Amino acid sequence: MPDYVSYGIEWCEEKNYPVDRCLLLVSRKLEIPTKRIYISLCGSLPTETVDRREEVDAHGWQKTLVLAKLSIHVRELNIPETIVVAEDMEMRTIILKKTAVISTPMVSSSPAPTASTNNTSPAIDLSRLSLGSNYLKLRVFSGHTTDKSKDEDKYHVWRAQAKALIEEAETEVSQSEKKRRLREALRSPALDIIDDVKKDNPQATAKDYLDALEVVFGTTLSGEELYHQFVGLDQQAGEKPSDYLSRLQSSLRQIVQKGGIAADKANQALLKQFLKGTLFDQLLLVDLHLRDQVVNAPTYLTLLGQVRRWEEECQRKTKKAKAIGARIAHVSRKAALVTHH
């Protein structure tokens, strides 16, 4: 489960922002410009500037994270539970202090929230939002090997999200609601499998549905066999380190699910294979001191954040070097023309 409070505090330190004047906002991935988010935040909070990142959590959910730097201390404000940044799009607020202050989730169809004081509770994963919210609507899965919809995930990605959705809401949502949500995300032939299960066992649970789909669409390899494949995964030519890390995590998620490795050993296994398989970006391993972190390996989210920031920094340096090179070439051409004349 990601510790968004620690993540946000570390982000503040990297940007040299005062923590007591910053607020972290998190939501499912938003397809809207950062400028629009900034304008929306200005309508609710005294916002000076915002920084944005796109991350992927341990369950495969894509998240948009926004760090808002405010003009006054957070403690002087009544922070809204959620902030509407576009039509039917909300971001949850997380106050950055040792005890996380996180609000109760709101349904995305509700009107814009008014200022209210957040309730104190431990930091929690956004996947704990109620199934009744459109926020966690599952993506489509059909099981077709060809002619897949562009909105359709691969089976293991879809299943990880569906499993997390059901398990996190185990006590909050009825079985009928869970099954309804699964059915609305399925298309034939996957939906046909669920119908067969229901005919054979009218009392089947949402977990029974997932188990049946696993038999038909899941891998037949054991956890040990999947782990053997995992330790052979190397970075491909032209593959960004962050993409390679995400590919490793996707494979490792299946291994844990199959019992090939204990969940508490996953972070270390991920880092070890990332160190071993990174073939084209050795400097990254040195710059981030990753070999020194094997004993106390960071979580996937933390490691991914470090890698992506390294990539962004390299990209900025490359662009700057190209710009300087272009200016030098331009001056040299002008000097050559003057000398010629």
Side-chain angles (χ1 to χ4, degrees):
M1 179 170 65
D3 182 356
Y4 289 115
V5 176
S6 298
Y7 182 94
I9 291 174
E10 180 182 335
W11 195 354
C12 288
E13 292 172 348
E14 291 173 5
K15 301 296 294 186
N16 200 25
Y17 291 166
V19 175
D20 55 3
R21 283 175 47 200
C22 289
L23 187 68
L24 183 67
L25 298 102
V26 191
S27 73
R28 285 285 298 276
K29 184 175 181 180
L30 299 177
E31 301 292 346
I32 58 175
T34 303
K35 183 177 180 181
R36 186 172 179 183
I37 296 176
Y38 171 72
I39 293 172
S40 299
L41 290 181
C42 288
S44 304
L45 301 168
T47 308
E48 288 186 355
T49 186
V50 297
D51 293 273
R52 176 178 181 170
R53 291 177 181 170
E54 309 295 336
E55 302 283 14
V56 180
D57 71 7
H59 295 309
W61 294 106
Q62 292 185 317
K63 304 288 178 68
T64 293
L65 296 94
V66 171
L67 183 66
K69 180 184 176 186
L70 310 179
S71 60
I72 62 177
H73 292 291
V74 173
R75 65 174 178 269
E76 298 177 20
L77 299 167
N78 288 326
I79 303 297
E81 295 177 340
T82 58
I83 295 179
V84 177
V85 294
E87 185 177 357
D88 293 331
M89 295 182 186
E90 293 180 337
M91 301 195 76
R92 297 184 64 212
T93 58
I94 299 176
I95 294 178
L96 304 177
K97 59 182 182 179
K98 290 184 179 180
T99 301
V101 180
I102 302 180
S103 60
T104 302
M106 294 178 63
V107 181
S108 60
S109 59
S110 59
T114 56
S116 61
T117 304
N118 288 345
N119 296 321
T120 301
S121 61
I124 59 174
D125 190 340
L126 286 183
S127 60
R128 289 188 179 275
L129 281 179
S130 166
L131 278 173
S133 170
N134 289 333
Y135 181 79
L136 278 180
K137 186 174 181 179
L138 286 170
R139 288 166 65 85
V140 169
F141 176 73
S142 69
H144 279 299
T145 56
T146 58
D147 299 326
K148 284 189 176 182
S149 165
K150 65 179 181 180
D151 295 325
E152 183 171 344
D153 287 325
K154 293 181 179 179
Y155 170 71
H156 70 275
V157 175
W158 181 89
R159 188 187 190 283
Q161 295 173 351
K163 185 172 181 288
L165 189 70
I166 289 172
E167 289 181 349
E168 295 290 354
E170 191 65 39
T171 59
E172 293 90 348
V173 181
S174 67
Q175 277 294 328
S176 60
E177 174 66 12
K178 293 175 187 177
K179 291 189 288 186
R180 187 185 73 80
R181 287 290 171 149
L182 287 178
R183 288 185 60 86
E184 75 176 9
L186 295 173
R187 304 290 184 270
S188 291
L191 183 59
D192 299 335
I193 304 299
I194 298 303
D195 288 338
D196 291 340
V197 172
K198 186 176 180 180
K199 288 176 184 176
D200 293 339
N201 179 15
Q203 304 304 317
T205 65
K207 183 180 182 301
D208 293 331
Y209 284 2
L210 286 182
D211 289 345
L213 292 171
E214 177 67 15
V215 170
V216 178
F217 301 108
T219 178
T220 58
L221 297 177
S222 68
E224 291 75 14
E225 290 170 324
L226 288 172
Y227 185 77
H228 181 71
Q229 290 184 348
F230 172 76
V231 297
L233 293 177
D234 292 331
Q235 182 186 20
Q236 299 173 353
E239 184 177 32
K240 295 197 301 183
S242 58
D243 290 339
Y244 171 52
L245 181 62
S246 296
R247 184 160 59 89
L248 287 177
Q249 174 65 11
S250 179
S251 177
L252 187 59
R253 196 176 295 124
Q254 295 183 72
I255 296 169
V256 173
Q257 177 190 323
K258 287 279 189 174
I261 188 174
D264 60 355
K265 302 292 184 183
N267 290 336
Q268 188 177 64
L270 179 65
L271 179 55
K272 283 183 176 180
Q273 186 56 36
F274 186 67
L275 289 168
K276 172 177 172 286
T278 299
L279 305 179
F280 302 98
D281 295 275
Q282 293 287 319
L283 184 59
L284 176 149
L285 308 181
V286 176
D287 287 348
L288 299 183
H289 307 287
L290 293 184
R291 298 188 189 280
D292 299 332
Q293 302 182 45
V294 173
V295 175
N296 187 22
T299 64
Y300 164 64
L301 261 185
T302 300
L303 181 57
L304 181 63
Q306 293 175 4
V307 171
R308 290 192 63 205
R309 287 190 288 277
W310 182 88
E311 290 174 343
E312 290 171 359
E313 181 63 24
C314 288
Q315 188 177 30
R316 282 194 292 269
K317 289 180 178 178
T318 300
K319 287 183 178 179
K320 185 176 181 180
K322 287 182 178 179
I324 293 174
R327 286 198 295 270
I328 292 175
H330 177 68
V331 171
S332 297
R333 286 195 297 270
K334 289 184 67 176
L337 287 174
V338 170
T339 304
H340 178 73
H341 289 295

